[in-house]
Every structure is written in structure tokens, then in C-alpha cells.
Amino acid sequence: MALDLAVGGSAAGKAEPQTLAPVMVLGPPPPPPIPPTSGMYLPGPPPPGVLLPRLIPMPFTREAIVYMDECRSRSLLQFISDAGIVPSLQDEQRRERVVRDLGKIVMDWAKRVAYEQGKQHWIASATVLTFGSYALGAYGPESDIDVLCIGPYIASLQHHFFVVLRQMLEGRPEVSELHSIEGAKVPLMRFKFNGILVDFPYVQLPVINAAEAIHAFDPCVLENVDGPSWRCLSGVRVNRQITQLVPNMKKFQYLLRCLKLWARKRGLHCHLLGFFAGIHLAILAAYVCRRHPNASINTLLILFFDTFAHWPWPLPVSLLDPPTTCRSPDGCSLMPIMLPCIPPEFCSSSTTESTFSKIKEELRRGYALTKDTRSADFDWSWLFAPFPYGARYKCFLRIVLSAPMDEELRDWVGWVKSRFRNLLLKLESLGVYCDPDPSEQVDHTITDPNVVFFWGLMYRRNTQICTGSLKEDFMKSVFNNIYGKEKCAHSDISMSIVGPLQLPKCVFDHSVYSEKPPQHMMGHQLMKQSYNTAS
């Protein structure tokens, strides 16, 4: 904004030039004149009694605000498109074919099982339902597909699903890297179908014509479904409920994609390590979209961080009005998020005090970065910058999972990750907060197939970690049933404490990224500095 400066004198009556006789001046010569300064800043304090001109802030017009919002929305959509998280039309068609082919396979499987048992194979049927990010339309090119297999009462989980159907899948040329996770809360098979990762749990209905019963979601049938199967079906129903509650599905899908990219870049995307699952982010995104139906994608993202950086946890987040209350199970008391279903349930969670602390810190960081809306030009790479583990922590817990064969390693990693929450709680009981990096590395100096994890450690009090006793205590929760003792009898875990220089290059490279924040968030502390990080 220009400033008006008063100028003395007038051009109308200009005095004639006069010649003065030189005057003898005693003492040192006068100092040179001070050169004019640009803007409103002066070199040093003003003379006494002199008031400096002051800028008067002018409010933005509505047109200017709308213009800046549109510019930031366009740049955000371009950013996530350049990040490669929006699937192409060809990728969408590939996934549709995967789901369609799986539906044909399980239909043949149900009729085969019925024929072998002498049942009515001509009416026996099975089907598949999708849920998760694929069903919500917010998946990326690298996302898996959650496909629920619905079978008849004659098809048992242990034999017909994990043996007969597995053999049928293994005989298909499109299927690769198939392994079973039988001891999880929701037993499932995991495999790649034409290169796309598929999570394949099973629901057994108390009817022989499963496809017809599930098509209508017959309540008389569903009320007799067991616990794990009901959990899978509730995921399908929750997806359907979310799509009905969200006023603008396209904006919701873009917002959810942004949140998934943010969570992945900042190390918050693995629910087995105490962070977000896809359903958590979906409900939080739907909560913002419902309350601001006309907001742009830029404004929705700003409101997401504003809302949940200041959320009064442990007040539950609920899409239902009014919010309902129920007793939260273990892992849901710190950050309770309600499923939009009747009766009310909590999203299952493995959050601990240390992972909850990081989630809150990252929400505050996101709010600090996005709260200034006075500029149309915004650098989204700040918000989605990779988390610099190597620069943040001075020591790490290195966890190596190994097995003699790749197939056994896949089962072993899935099983141990489902028990990681016990290890987090044990470390917290010793006075150590953890920030587990969800990425999985490989140590090529080890002969056996292996997966390596690195957990950043923050010491809250003077303590020493004995990795030997830590492993011994953790293995009690790993080898607590037949699955851990027999199926992975030749697998192993090793633990050690390492420094930043012992991180893999792909992890340490993020540490050279300087997290010097922009000017408007200089007062924001990215992490609490009260913890005594020890090397």
C-alpha cells in the first residue's frame, strides 16, 4: 500500500538562484546525508515526538477470498494428481475385472462344495462384496481391494475356505503371493490378483443360497452370524452408511485421498502400529464434509485440521445426531471414533499414549501450516513432506523378522504386526515413547528373507532398554497359541538399539530434509521437547 508523504515548498514561486560567499566553518565536516530507504522501515528509532506513518490493513473482499480459495483448490488437486494417488481409467477397469472374476470363482467353489457333500448344488451360491477404500471410491493405484467372500453354511472356514478355496485360487494363473492369516481377529487370505493386492476375509451365512440372502441383507439371516463374520459385514454396512450421509461424494473422495497421502507421508497410516486405519480417516473426513456441505476441497482440508487439532479428546467423533455413547474397548479410549451404525460401535484401534501423542502433534502441525488463508499461492509440499525420522530421534529400536521361506515370512510378518501393540505398551511401561515407522525395509546382509522395522525412541525418564528381556516378554504374546508355535516354528525376531546413521538410506534421506517451517508457523513446536532423547 502506497504511503502519502508531505512535500514542502511550491513550484509556483520558485526563488531565483543566489550566489553566496564561502563561509569558513570550524570543526569536522558534517556527516553525509542518509540515503532514502524503501518502504516504511527507517534506520533506527525516530526522533522524539515524530510519528511514523502506519499501514492500515484492508479487509479482503468476498471476491478476493473466493478467488484465493479456488486457486488453492486447483493447486491441491494438481498436487495430488502429480503425486500419483488418483487411479487412471484403465486401473479402475482392472479392479472391476478382479472383483468380477473373484465373484465367478467363489460361485464355482460353493457349487463344488455342495456337490461333494450331496447338497442342493443347483441352488448353492456364494458372492463377494467390496468394502474399505475401494467401495468408497477413494483408493489409489497402489491400494489393495478389500473383498468379502460370502459363503453358504455348508462351507466351513478352516477346511473349505482355507484349504479348498485356497487350492482353487493357487491354480489360477492370475493369483500370486497367496498366504493365509488364520489367527487374526478377522481370518483372511491375502494375495495378488493380476498384480493387485486383495484382502479376502470370509463370512459364512446360515443358508445355502448365500448370494440371494446377502443381496437383501436379510436381518433374520444376519442376526445368526458369528463375531468375526459380523465384523466384516458391519464394514460393508458402514461404507454404505457413509456414502448416504456424505452430501457431496466427489469432494469426500478427494478429501479422503488427501488425508491418506498426508498420513502415509507423515508415518500415520498403519493401524497395527497404533495409527490410523482407512475407516478412521473416512469417518473423520465424512464428519467435516457433513458439516460444511458447500465448502471447497481446500476449505475442507483446512477445516479438517482446524476441527481435530482442537478436538476435546476423548469425546467421541460420531456421524450420528445426536452422538451416542457406549463403553469403549481397549485401544479406543484415547481417540474414540464411532461407526455410523445401530447399535453404536467404536472403530477398532491400537492407539497407545505415544502414538496418540504423535497423531495430535501432526494434526497441530497441519493446522499451523494451513490456517493462513491470505494467499492464493500455497506450497502443498510442506504439508505432505516425508517425516524426517533420522533428524528427529537419536536412537531407534531395530526389529528384524526373518523366516527361511518367503511364504512363511509373509505369514510371520502379518502375525507379529497384529501383536505389535503389546510391544508398544511394554516400552511405554518402561518410560519410553515410540514413533514406529510403518515402512518395511529389507536387510540384504541377512541370508534369510526378512523385514526390518525402525521405531524412533523418546526417553521420558532415565532408563535403559535390555533388548533381550524386551524380546522375551514380547514373545509371550506372540507364541500364545498353536498358530505362533507351529505354523511359524522356524521364524525368528531380533531386536537391537541403533543410531540414525544405521538407518537405511531410504529412511535417512528424509532426515536431510529441513523442516524449517514457513513464517506463519514459526511459533509451532513440531514435537514436544520435554522428552529426553538419549543416544
Side-chain angles (χ1 to χ4, degrees):
M1 184 178 295
L3 298 176
D4 294 329
L5 301 177
V7 181
S10 172
K14 187 179 296 183
E16 294 293 331
Q18 298 181 4
T19 303
L20 301 179
V23 179
M24 298 299 294
V25 180
L26 300 178
I34 298 176
T37 57
S38 61
M40 58 176 293
Y41 299 99
L42 300 177
V50 175
L51 297 178
L52 294 177
R54 183 169 59 90
L55 286 174
I56 302 176
M58 298 294 292
F60 288 109
T61 63
R62 177 175 176 79
E63 291 76 12
I65 295 174
V66 171
Y67 172 76
M68 289 187 290
D69 187 42
E70 290 177 349
C71 289
R72 287 176 58 149
S73 292
R74 284 195 298 269
S75 65
L76 176 57
L77 294 177
Q78 185 63 49
F79 183 89
I80 64 174
S81 177
D82 294 342
I85 63 173
V86 180
S88 63
L89 178 61
Q90 293 77 10
D91 188 66
E92 293 178 2
Q93 293 172 345
R94 282 179 60 213
R95 291 168 186 271
E96 291 173 0
R97 285 195 297 270
V98 168
V99 176
R100 187 168 58 248
D101 291 347
L102 285 174
K104 294 177 182 178
I105 292 172
V106 301
M107 182 64 81
D108 294 340
W109 164 71
K111 294 189 178 299
R112 172 179 168 179
V113 171
Y115 182 81
E116 291 177 352
Q117 297 187 27
K119 302 294 183 181
Q120 299 169 302
H121 62 274
W122 55 90
I123 64 170
S125 67
T127 187
V128 296
L129 294 175
T130 60
F131 62 102
S133 61
Y134 178 76
L136 291 173
Y139 62 94
E142 303 300 323
S143 300
D144 59 2
I145 308 179
D146 295 304
V147 183
L148 182 60
C149 176
I150 311 290
Y153 77 95
I154 57 174
S156 66
L157 173 69
Q158 292 301 327
H159 177 66
H160 294 109
F161 181 74
F162 279 120
V163 177
V164 178
L165 182 55
R166 173 169 178 152
Q167 290 174 351
M168 291 179 65
L169 290 169
E170 287 176 332
R172 302 279 301 209
E174 309 98 320
V175 176
S176 62
E177 301 181 22
L178 190 153
H179 65 288
S180 304
I181 307 177
E182 301 175 31
K185 290 182 179 179
V186 178
L188 55 85
M189 285 190 284
R190 180 170 292 159
F191 52 87
K192 286 186 176 181
F193 198 101
N194 280 334
I196 298 176
L197 185 63
V198 177
D199 277 357
F200 202 54
Y202 178 56
V203 167
Q204 182 183 17
L205 296 185
V207 293
I208 194 166
N209 193 339
E212 182 178 333
I214 202 65
H215 178 71
F217 266 83
D218 187 350
C220 297
V221 173
L222 298 181
E223 67 183 8
N224 296 316
V225 174
D226 62 6
S229 297
W230 174 253
R231 190 176 294 113
C232 292
L233 286 174
S234 67
V236 176
R237 302 182 76 179
V238 165
N239 277 186
R240 294 184 177 184
Q241 186 72 8
I242 289 175
T243 58
Q244 294 171 2
L245 292 173
V246 172
N248 188 314
M249 199 61 190
K250 202 69 176 177
K251 290 181 182 178
F252 165 76
Q253 291 168 347
Y254 275 121
L255 176 61
L256 186 52
R257 282 196 173 100
C258 291
L259 297 181
K260 287 187 172 186
L261 178 62
W262 165 75
R264 189 167 69 248
K265 291 291 188 179
R266 303 304 295 177
L268 304 173
H269 64 286
C270 183
H271 70 284
L272 293 177
L273 291 174
F275 296 118
F276 289 118
I279 188 61
H280 298 139
L281 293 174
I283 293 177
L284 297 183
Y287 182 91
V288 175
C289 290
R290 282 198 73 201
R291 279 149 182 78
H292 308 278
N294 299 319
S296 67
I297 180 61
N298 166 68
T299 302
L300 287 173
L301 187 58
I302 294 172
L303 290 170
F304 168 82
F305 288 113
D306 190 4
T307 300
F308 297 111
H310 302 98
W311 189 265
W313 307 106
L315 178 70
V317 178
S318 175
L319 298 179
L320 302 177
D321 294 321
T324 55
T325 58
C326 65
R327 187 174 180 272
S328 58
D330 188 30
C332 299
S333 57
L334 294 172
M335 197 173 189
I337 299 174
M338 303 291 296
L339 294 170
C341 59
I342 301 297
E345 298 179 45
F346 282 95
C347 295
S348 61
S349 175
S350 300
T351 306
T352 67
E353 289 186 8
S354 53
T355 57
F356 181 48
S357 176
K358 180 176 179 179
I359 289 173
K360 290 189 296 183
E361 222 24 76
E362 288 299 322
L363 288 170
R364 287 193 287 264
R365 175 185 180 273
Y367 168 70
L369 278 168
T370 58
K371 66 180 180 179
D372 188 357
T373 60
R374 295 171 296 178
S375 172
D377 187 18
F378 187 83
D379 187 357
W380 293 106
S381 61
W382 281 105
L383 180 64
F384 298 101
F387 189 85
Y389 288 96
R392 188 61 54 83
Y393 307 116
K394 295 182 179 179
C395 57
F396 296 81
L397 177 65
R398 182 177 184 266
I399 305 171
V400 182
L401 308 182
S402 59
M405 298 176 60
D406 288 329
E407 182 178 354
E408 183 173 333
L409 177 65
R410 288 193 295 268
D411 290 342
W412 182 233
V413 171
W415 175 250
V416 173
K417 285 177 68 175
S418 69
R419 297 296 186 265
F420 266 165
R421 186 172 188 271
N422 297 319
L423 183 56
L424 285 166
L425 294 175
K426 178 61 178 179
L427 287 164
E428 289 177 9
S429 70
L430 298 175
V432 181
Y433 269 17
C434 290
D435 181 2
D437 181 1
S439 64
E440 300 179 4
Q441 312 298 329
V442 176
D443 188 342
H444 296 285
T445 65
I446 300 177
T447 304
D448 288 337
N450 63 87
V451 170
V452 185
F453 297 90
F454 292 91
W455 293 10
L457 301 181
M458 297 171 285
Y459 290 78
R460 304 178 69 196
R461 60 174 182 261
N462 279 334
T463 184
Q464 288 187 346
I465 298 178
C466 175
T467 55
S469 60
L470 183 66
K471 172 185 172 180
E472 181 181 356
D473 186 79
F474 177 55
M475 295 303 281
K476 294 176 183 178
S477 65
V478 174
F479 289 149
N480 64 350
N481 63 2
I482 296 176
Y483 180 89
K485 291 181 179 179
E486 294 183 0
K487 189 160 186 178
C488 297
H490 303 289
S491 304
D492 191 24
I493 297 178
S494 65
M495 299 181 184
S496 58
I497 305 296
V498 300
L501 295 180
Q502 294 170 279
L503 295 177
K505 187 176 186 299
C506 59
V507 177
F508 186 77
D509 281 350
H510 293 163
S511 68
V512 301
Y513 170 83
S514 173
E515 276 216 340
K516 183 179 180 182
Q519 188 67 30
H520 62 267
M521 65 167 295
M522 288 297 289
H524 174 67
Q525 281 189 317
L526 293 180
M527 288 292 286
K528 296 178 181 178
Q529 300 300 321
S530 57
Y531 301 138
N532 176 27
T533 55
S535 58

